[in-house]
Amino acid sequence: MSTLRDELHNLIDRLPEDQVAPILAIVRESTPSEDGGEEWPLPDFAGTLSSGKGDLAARSSEILRTELGHQPE
């Protein structure tokens, strides 16, 4: 195994549990599926509830301002 892979494994092992899902989503997007296809077999919305960005209802004003092109307060 290369030095870079060793470092990646060590860093992943040190991640707090609440950070595993977002990092896993990034790695899945960059990795071909096991059947050799280009896309991960899960739909795009998979993992949205574990994005780490908190409750959508609580952030609705911020999201709307951003989508409408206004600066968040």
Side-chain angles (χ1 to χ4, degrees):
M1 193 178 316
S2 72
T3 304
L4 291 176
R5 283 185 183 270
D6 283 337
E7 180 181 2
L8 179 60
H9 283 273
N10 289 332
L11 290 171
I12 289 172
D13 289 340
R14 292 181 9 210
L15 279 174
E17 193 62 34
D18 63 333
Q19 293 296 312
V20 172
I23 300 300
L24 180 58
I26 293 169
V27 173
R28 282 180 175 163
E29 289 174 8
S30 303
T31 307
S33 63
E34 289 183 16
D35 64 1
E38 291 295 318
E39 295 183 26
W40 186 255
L42 296 176
D44 290 340
F45 62 83
T48 56
L49 296 177
S50 59
S51 69
K53 293 190 177 184
D55 183 16
L56 291 177
R59 296 181 48 241
S60 60
S61 295
E62 172 191 343
I63 293 167
L64 287 172
R65 279 192 296 275
T66 302
E67 291 298 317
L68 295 174
H70 302 290
Q71 294 295 324
E73 295 176 355

